[in-house]
Amino acid sequence: MADRLELPPLAREMLAEFAGTMILILFGVGVVAQVVAGGLGNHDSIAWAWGLGVTLGVYTAARISGGHINPAVTLALAVFRRLPWVKVIPYVVAQFLGAFVAALIVRWNYTEVLAKFDPGHTLKTQFVFSTLPGNGTAPVSMWGGFRDQIIGTAILLFLVMALTDVRNNPPLANLAPVVVGFVVVAIGMAWGTAAGYAINPARDLGPRLAQYLTGYEGAWRDQYGDYYFWVPIVGPLIGGVIGAGLYLLLIGSSLSVGKEPPTPSAESKPEYDPRA
């Protein structure tokens, strides 16, 4: 029996992005459901589980597709010629589908708990799956959430670029996904109030559609009644390009292509590179 699917390279990369994003959402949305509806854990549980979800999702897909698991990463890499444009839409579709399927699994598994905690499937548990300005309670407007998503995703992409640039002494021995996971934990702990740190269009849109199809009629709106769903899509796409561009301007432009660091040994060569 063949140990590898005989599929075109792009199809294999799409499957990898699907699987990696699914892993991310299983842990990320799963922990929010557990904390909010199940009463187990707290904000730190959420931050750590999202970070670990990123690490495990990247490890899942990195060898095949680069482990983007985030349309903001995919778009930023394409803008700065780290990824062929022809791969952008296929990657984004795969990421969205992975997030959607994972959210359906979480929704199914937490059916009884969510129904008991919030029988009407209201704003009380809407942010288990999708984000809201101020997490539904803090006095943050839709535009405040938009600002937050630009800034948070800019931080993410700035650091992803720094941690995966082979000219910049990145983490070796295949540890880059671990450190990127720490970045997400840090963003969650420092930038989670204003908009729930979606910083990933697939992470928000996939689960938002899943919750809408399973009883959350207000899924597309925020607590003010505004159509908020576009904010965690557009904000991260803009922020990702800004963050990657700032890294290349402030750091990347000072790193000489002609003076590469010593080539790591086969045992320590990093396998994770989102530009792959």
Side-chain angles (χ1 to χ4, degrees), residues 217-233:
E217 295 181 0
W220 307 108
R221 297 178 184 267
D222 61 20
Q223 64 268 34
Y224 307 112
D226 297 324
Y227 281 105
Y228 184 79
F229 72 92
W230 64 272
V231 171
I233 300 173

Side-chain angles (χ1 to χ4, degrees), residues 103-124:
L104 285 178
I105 294 172
V106 174
R107 178 70 175 87
W108 181 33
N109 193 58
Y110 279 89
T111 298
E112 299 85 358
V113 177
L114 289 166
K116 181 177 180 179
F117 184 77
D118 181 21
H121 302 314
T122 66
L123 281 168
K124 190 176 180 181

Side-chain angles (χ1 to χ4, degrees), residues 200-257:
N200 181 337
R203 169 265 174 273
D204 196 87
L205 181 59
R208 195 180 292 272
L209 178 60
Q211 71 176 162
Y212 175 73
L213 295 175
T214 58
Y216 285 83
E217 295 181 0
W220 307 108
R221 297 178 184 267
D222 61 20
Q223 64 268 34
Y224 307 112
D226 297 324
Y227 281 105
Y228 184 79
F229 72 92
W230 64 272
V231 171
I233 300 173
V234 179
L237 293 176
I238 294 173
V241 172
I242 292 173
L246 284 174
Y247 170 78
L248 293 172
L249 175 66
L250 299 176
I251 304 297
S253 62
S254 299
L255 298 172
S256 174
V257 176

